[in-house]
Amino acid sequence: MKITKKIATVATLAFAAFMATSAVKAANSSGHIISIEPVNYNKATSPALGVGEKVQILVRMLNSNWLATSGNATEHPPKPWYFISLGVGSTNLASAAARPMLGLSIGGKIAYAEYVEAIGSYVSGLNQELPYYTDLYFEYTVKPGDLGLPIKLLNSNGKVADVAETDNDDYCLINANTAGKNWGAYWTLSNVDGEIAGFHLAAGYGSLDYPTKPNNTGAPAAGDVSLSAAQINVQTIDFDDTYSADNSTIWRDVYPKITDNVSVAPRIL
């Protein structure tokens, strides 16, 4: 039986407001992310993405009762994660003005991948093949001037995620409360029991103790907490790779009473 839950969004708050709002770190909150990986992108064969193309990212999470469900899903129905409305603004994610967004660093510029209900045949919500996982898909449309070689994930403090920080802090998820960041957003990433998800890597996320992962189009490298090893490259600025210091025409901006001579350095008259 296929169960598809669709989720929605609300007005986007600026990152400055997000950072300025008081954030309460939940004591000993447990991370539920098992992997973060690219979708429809292979670093070995995919070219750098240009203007209008999509950066697509899967955040795969362990359901809170994943262990019981993996043993017997009939006796222990899965408890997937959903974006639950807090009753402010639109309560329908599908038609809301803004969605939960995953923070990215693109060449040092802060950008956001927006939550989407589906990417092709991949659907956000309970993973149907392996019901102890929840899959959340995010998408960013490349804009003019973007240059990220590669793009990287941000933590909730607006810094590029690394192992030390991500073990203790959630990833940047704008417009949604998580166990690590409760800042009064429009949505909470929660389950039917009201438990709030920890939006950082689960302890021992690379361990074989976890159930088998379903195949996807990308695969995270061990310890790749910033997604940089996935090499999702974005390049909308090009460079002249035929330039030669000896055999190239060089244009110079010159001021009045200064000659412009490409064969020798400009001189003052």
Side-chain angles (χ1 to χ4, degrees):
M1 179 177 68
K2 185 169 184 176
I3 305 170
T4 303
K5 290 277 187 179
K6 294 201 172 179
I7 343 184
T9 337
V10 159
T12 305
L13 300 179
F15 187 75
F18 166 72
M19 296 300 293
T21 309
S22 60
V24 179
K25 176 67 182 173
N28 301 318
S29 62
S30 176
H32 293 99
I33 295 176
I34 190 66
S35 69
I36 302 178
E37 53 198 85
V39 179
N40 300 323
Y41 191 91
N42 186 310
K43 67 179 181 181
T45 59
S46 298
L49 300 175
V51 175
E53 295 186 289
K54 307 289 187 182
V55 174
Q56 298 168 325
I57 297 172
L58 162 64
V59 177
R60 178 159 286 147
M61 304 184 70
L62 287 164
N63 297 335
S64 59
N65 65 335
W66 70 268
L67 187 57
T69 300
S70 64
N72 191 320
T74 302
E75 291 184 7
H76 304 281
K79 297 178 181 179
W81 303 107
Y82 304 110
F83 288 112
I84 307 298
S85 171
L86 295 180
V88 179
S90 173
T91 58
N92 181 2
L93 246 173
S95 60
R99 297 169 176 266
M101 297 184 294
L102 186 66
L104 306 176
S105 173
I106 301 181
K109 180 187 76 174
I110 293 174
Y112 304 101
E114 188 176 79
Y115 170 83
V116 293
E117 281 85 0
I119 294 176
S121 61
Y122 301 122
V123 179
S124 288
L126 179 67
N127 186 293
Q128 302 301 318
E129 296 178 32
L130 300 174
Y132 28 81
Y133 290 129
T134 295
D135 290 345
L136 302 178
Y137 289 94
F138 296 84
E139 192 171 76
Y140 171 77
T141 302
V142 179
K143 297 175 176 57
D146 283 350
L147 181 62
L149 302 170
I151 69 165
K152 299 176 183 179
L153 297 175
L154 297 176
N155 65 19
S156 58
N157 291 316
K159 300 178 181 179
V160 172
D162 64 26
V163 174
E165 291 171 342
T166 308
D167 282 346
N168 299 291
D169 201 355
D170 282 6
Y171 284 101
C172 176
L173 185 65
I174 296 295
N175 290 339
N177 294 328
T178 59
K181 284 288 181 179
N182 183 355
W183 55 285
Y186 294 100
W187 310 92
T188 293
L189 187 55
S190 183
N191 62 16
V192 295
D193 292 336
E195 182 181 358
I196 300 176
F199 204 65
H200 57 276
L201 292 167
Y205 66 97
S207 170
L208 296 178
D209 292 339
Y210 290 119
T212 304
K213 297 178 187 177
N215 292 327
N216 205 281
T217 52
D224 186 22
V225 298
S226 70
L227 203 60
S228 57
Q231 289 291 308
I232 306 175
N233 292 322
V234 167
Q235 184 173 355
T236 63
I237 302 172
D238 207 355
F239 303 93
D240 183 5
D241 57 6
T242 64
Y243 171 78
S244 167
D246 298 323
N247 299 302
S248 294
T249 299
I250 302 174
W251 291 92
R252 294 188 177 100
D253 291 331
V254 296
Y255 295 95
K257 296 186 178 182
I258 298 178
T259 61
D260 185 21
N261 187 320
V262 298
S263 61
V264 296
R267 59 191 177 86
I268 299 175
L269 292 174

